[in-house]
């Protein structure tokens, strides 16, 4: 097995789990299996589902069910690939480490810092969303007060032991799972006509208002784009698994249950919504699809109930994004791809990385107040398509790493990608297809161009760093 300078950098990732970037204490393993299970479940149920789905329904009509099923299948393939690599080589840097090992140090640098930036900007966006909910309840308060409160709380949570983060996410996820579960049960009862005060709608709302494809294939494509970005957040469980007592088993279990979670929570709830009420109902645009259904079913205080659930989803995202961004930043720093001074670990927590990511998130919040249509919008555009870039790197890394594992360590293939390499290539083709679809829409095109430019800058910096260190791009055969 040949070793080149670039292979030395991935080897340093072992310090990610064994020691801090300065050779000091290591990350803890305070996350339990129940934490990982709920992080995986909660990662599926986010504000993108509760809030963002209204745009998809408006664009695609009943065919939103098909859009979520197709995009869900793509996400399933990505998660299976990521699960294969994470189970074989658990690391808090997750796909950044895998990309570095199988593609080159430049790839790990680019995808790692892009994901970190994505989560930091998401921290700001989710905190602002949560503040808006609180402002609706307490109109005499200012949104910035709530943003500050939430940022302080969850920065403090992430500065403490990782088990605190796990407990917060466990209960956040439990509330979200319970809410979506109750919604699905009520919806199914209404569809069957056994819920008091309701009649079975049959297929009237699926075919009676312009048909299953009321806005044609174009509408379906817009709905597909809306659904793809609702799935963001699933990657965090593979980052968190590195801080559990049994990361291999934890990742394997999370990935293996991903299929029914996606089918039940996303596809199932979309099917309930467009079956129970007309897709064009004004209440969907006004109140959101979930509130509209609950109001139709005459559930008392439906709007306030869903606002509580949405608030929980937003706060969960703030907590998880601070965690995920800080661990990714720490992993990059521990591999020499960031300032070493930020890599110090205290009591099993990379506190300086947590403060860095929280500060960036809060800075983005300030931008949203000071320059909402310029600086903050540029930040949003720069990470608008970042998840697709991340997925693309995951697919390429898995293509290359699988061959290496089969040759050198087949016993590590605890989770295997289905029908390899065919479905990996199918996933790559799907990612490219989504990117091409983004070019058709002006707003999406702007995001794609900004994200593409950001990715190119990071790749160039990564290549220059690699060249400066005397490293060369390596393939699996070099490891």
């Amino acid at each position: 097995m040949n070793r080149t300078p670039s292979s030395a950098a991935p080897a340093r990732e072992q310090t990610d789990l064994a020691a801090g970037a300065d050779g000091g204490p290591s990350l803890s393993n305070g996350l339990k299996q129940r934490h990982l299970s709920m992080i995986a479940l909660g990662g599926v149920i986010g504000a993108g589902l509760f809030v963002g789905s209204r745009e998809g329904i408006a664009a695609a009509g009943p065919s939103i069910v098909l859009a979520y099923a197709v995009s869900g299948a793509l996400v399933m393939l990505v998660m299976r690939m990521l699960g294969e690599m994470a189970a074989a080589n658990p690391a808090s840097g997750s796909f950044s480490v895998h990309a570095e090992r199988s593609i080159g140090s430049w790839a790990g640098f680019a995808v790692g810092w892009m994901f970190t930036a994505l989560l930091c900007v998401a921290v700001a966006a989710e905190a602002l969303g949560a503040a808006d909910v609180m402002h609706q309840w307490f109109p005499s308060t200012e949104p910035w007060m709530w943003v500050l409160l939430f940022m302080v709380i969850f920065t403090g949570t992430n500065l403490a032991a990782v088990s605190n983060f796990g407990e917060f996410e466990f209960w956040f996820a439990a509330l979200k799972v319970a809410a979506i579960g109750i919604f699905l049960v009520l919806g199914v009862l209404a569809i069957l006509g056994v819920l008091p005060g309701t009649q079975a709608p049959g297929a009237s709302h699926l075919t009676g208002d312009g048909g299953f494809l009321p806005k044609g294939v174009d509408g379906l494509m817009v709905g597909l784009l809306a659904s793809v970005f609702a799935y963001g957040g699933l990657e965090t469980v593979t980052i968190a698994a590195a801080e559990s007592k049994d990361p291999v088993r934890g990742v394997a279990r999370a990935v293996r249950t991903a299929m029914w979670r996606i089918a039940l929570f996303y596809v199932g709830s979309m099917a309930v919504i467009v079956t129970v009420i007309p897709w064009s109902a004004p209440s969907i645009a006004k109140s959101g699809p979930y509130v509209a259904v609950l109001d139709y079913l005459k559930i008392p205080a439906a709007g306030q109930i869903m606002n509580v659930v949405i608030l929980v989803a937003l706060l969960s995202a703030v907590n998880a994004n601070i965690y995920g961004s800080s661990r990714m930043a720490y992993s990059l720093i521990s591999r020499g791809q960031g300032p070493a001074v930020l890599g110090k670990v205290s009591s099993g927590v990379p506190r300086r990385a947590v403060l860095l990511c929280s500060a960036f998130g809060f800075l983005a919040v300030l931008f949203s107040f000071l320059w909402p249509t310029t600086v903050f919008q540029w930040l949003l555009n720069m990470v608008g398509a970042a998840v697709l870039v991340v997925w693309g790197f995951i697919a390429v890394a898995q293509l290359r790493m699988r061959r290496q594992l089969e040759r050198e360590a087949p016993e590590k293939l605890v989770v295997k990608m289905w029908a390899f390499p065919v479905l990996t290539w199918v996933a790559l083709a799907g990612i490219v297809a989504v990117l091409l679809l983004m070019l058709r829409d002006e707003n999406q095109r702007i995001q794609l161009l900004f994200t593409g430019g950001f990715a190119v800058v990071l790749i160039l910096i990564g290549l220059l760093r690699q060249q400066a260190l005397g490293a060369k791009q390596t393939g699996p055969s070099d490891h």
Side-chain angles (χ1 to χ4, degrees), residues 398-408 420-421:
Q398 190 268 338
L399 269 175
R400 307 188 73 174
M401 186 173 285
R402 174 64 175 267
R403 300 298 190 194
Q404 175 193 354
L405 289 171
E406 288 177 336
R407 184 173 59 253
E408 299 175 6
F420 177 82

Side-chain angles (χ1 to χ4, degrees), residues 67 220-230 434-435 437-438 441 444:
L220 175 61
M221 294 301 101
V222 175
L224 180 63
L225 284 176
S227 64
V228 164
F229 296 106
V434 173
L435 290 171
L437 283 176
M438 292 184 71
D441 181 85
Q444 301 278 1

Side-chain angles (χ1 to χ4, degrees), residues 42-362:
V44 182
I45 309 171
L49 175 62
F50 292 119
V51 181
S53 55
R54 75 176 79 187
E55 285 79 14
I57 293 172
S63 66
I64 192 65
V65 179
L66 178 59
Y68 269 88
V70 172
S71 57
L74 174 59
V75 174
M76 273 298 309
L77 296 179
V78 172
M79 281 303 295
R80 188 73 184 188
M81 290 185 283
L82 185 54
E84 176 183 289
M85 295 186 291
N89 296 298
S92 68
S94 188
F95 45 83
S96 172
V97 174
H98 309 321
E100 183 168 341
R101 285 174 172 165
S102 58
I103 303 172
S105 64
W106 65 269
F109 176 91
V111 73
W113 284 116
M114 171 159 277
F115 189 73
T116 301
L118 165 64
L119 294 190
C120 287
V121 175
V123 166
E126 307 288 7
L128 287 165
D132 285 341
V133 174
M134 297 303 294
H135 181 63
Q136 291 174 25
W137 291 341
F138 305 99
S140 61
T141 61
E142 294 294 332
W144 68 264
M145 298 166 55
W146 296 108
V147 171
L148 180 60
L149 176 64
F150 297 146
M151 292 296 292
V152 169
I153 289 174
F154 292 112
T155 299
T157 299
N158 279 276
L159 286 172
V162 71
S163 57
N164 287 5
F165 160 76
E167 282 299 316
F168 265 94
E169 280 307 290
F170 177 84
W171 292 109
F172 279 152
L175 286 170
K176 290 189 288 184
V177 169
I180 201 75
I182 293 170
F183 175 83
L184 289 170
V185 169
L186 291 173
V188 169
L189 291 177
I191 291 170
L192 296 176
V194 298
L195 193 69
T198 62
Q199 294 182 342
S204 60
H205 296 148
L206 297 175
T207 59
D209 188 10
F212 187 71
L213 285 164
K215 297 187 178 180
V217 176
D218 285 344
L220 175 61
M221 294 301 101
V222 175
L224 180 63
L225 284 176
S227 64
V228 164
F229 296 106
Y231 286 110
L234 280 169
E235 306 87 356
T236 303
V237 70
T238 62
I239 296 173
E243 291 185 75
S244 66
K245 290 180 172 62
D246 190 351
V248 174
R249 186 169 68 94
V251 168
R253 180 178 295 182
V255 170
R256 285 169 179 158
T257 58
M259 180 177 289
W260 71 263
R261 292 200 308 269
I262 289 173
L264 181 64
F265 295 143
Y266 274 86
V267 182
S269 59
M270 289 302 107
V272 164
I273 291 165
V274 296
T275 302
V276 171
I277 59 176
W279 67 271
S280 56
S283 57
I284 292 180
K286 180 182 178 182
S287 307
Y290 291 84
V291 173
V293 170
L294 293 176
D295 280 339
Y296 175 80
L297 299 179
K298 297 179 174 61
I299 305 299
Q304 293 306 317
I305 292 171
M306 285 310 302
N307 272 336
V308 171
V309 175
I310 290 169
L311 178 64
V312 168
L314 290 165
L315 294 179
S316 173
V318 172
N319 191 34
N321 289 338
I322 291 175
Y323 171 84
S325 60
S326 66
R327 273 18 179 219
M328 181 61 77
Y330 165 77
S331 175
L332 288 159
I333 292 164
S334 72
R335 289 179 277 140
Q337 297 190 345
V341 68
L342 297 174
K344 184 177 176 60
V345 174
S346 304
S347 302
V349 178
R351 288 176 176 164
R352 294 178 182 178
V354 169
L355 290 173
L356 168 70
C357 296
S358 298
F360 187 93
F362 195 72

Side-chain angles (χ1 to χ4, degrees), residues 31-49:
L31 292 179
K32 301 175 182 177
Q33 182 59 49
R34 68 181 179 89
H35 293 150
L36 286 184
S37 297
M38 276 300 182
I39 289 170
L41 282 168
V44 182
I45 309 171
L49 175 62

Side-chain angles (χ1 to χ4, degrees), residues 352-373:
R352 294 178 182 178
V354 169
L355 290 173
L356 168 70
C357 296
S358 298
F360 187 93
F362 195 72
L363 188 63
V365 169
L366 292 179
F367 290 156
S368 75
F369 287 116
L370 298 174
W371 303 291
T373 60

